[in-house]
Amino acid sequence: MTEKPIDEKSVFNIARQIQSPDARVDYLNQVCGRDPQALARIVALLNEHVETQGFLENPAVRNPTLDQPPSESAGSRIGPYKLLQRLGEGGMGTVWMAEQEKPVRRMVALKLIKNGLDNRQIVARFDAERQALAM
């Protein structure tokens, strides 16, 4: 009779939640005792998990243009638009209520991409969004 293979993903997910190192070792030995290769793979993943925990909160390299506060403020002008009030902010930029003065005078929502995010992919995405909203 063949034994059922160990579900390494499930074992890893359970083991990473066990706070006590001794309790974690006991759990892994109990579950993986018959498969030393699976045990070694899971231990390696757990070590990697511990070493990389929190890397998104503290990036190794900071983008200075993304870390700068936005230079726009109410009353600023961008082309034919006068910024009136910031409506919202997300990861990619800010949305302002603005007054368009030329060729017609009207109120608009103006979305500004954050400094440092003006690459081709982002600009193409914003252009597609603009086209969808124009319809």
Side-chain angles (χ1 to χ4, degrees):
M1 179 169 119
T2 40
E3 292 186 28
K4 184 178 174 186
I6 296 172
D7 181 354
E8 294 179 25
K9 182 177 179 182
S10 295
V11 172
F12 166 78
N13 283 324
I14 292 169
R16 73 182 174 88
Q17 294 176 23
I18 299 172
Q19 298 298 317
S20 163
D22 292 335
R24 185 180 302 130
V25 168
D26 289 343
Y27 168 75
L28 290 171
N29 285 331
Q30 179 183 11
V31 175
C32 301
R34 68 184 195 284
D35 189 345
Q37 283 108 5
L39 177 61
R41 285 190 297 269
I42 294 168
V43 168
L45 284 172
L46 287 167
N47 289 337
E48 190 69 27
H49 174 72
V50 168
E51 289 177 20
T52 60
Q53 215 166 7
F55 81 98
L56 289 176
E57 290 81 25
N58 301 307
V61 178
R62 302 207 59 90
N63 184 335
T65 59
L66 292 177
D67 295 335
Q68 293 174 356
S71 59
E72 300 85 21
S73 61
S76 298
R77 293 193 174 277
I78 297 176
Y81 304 100
K82 179 180 178 183
L83 301 180
L84 301 176
Q85 176 184 0
R86 188 168 71 179
L87 299 175
E89 182 173 357
M92 306 299 264
T94 56
V95 178
W96 286 83
M97 180 190 314
E99 182 180 18
Q100 180 180 2
E101 296 175 339
K102 296 175 188 173
V104 293
R105 183 177 223 100
R106 63 183 173 168
M107 301 300 281
V108 299
L110 189 63
K111 189 176 230 181
L112 304 176
I113 301 171
K114 286 184 179 179
N115 289 333
L117 292 181
D118 52 350
N119 63 47
R120 257 185 232 176
Q121 261 185 326
I122 301 295
V123 172
R125 183 174 143 204
F126 274 78
D127 190 47
E129 183 179 329
R130 181 183 62 81
Q131 292 293 340
L133 291 171
M135 292 178 172

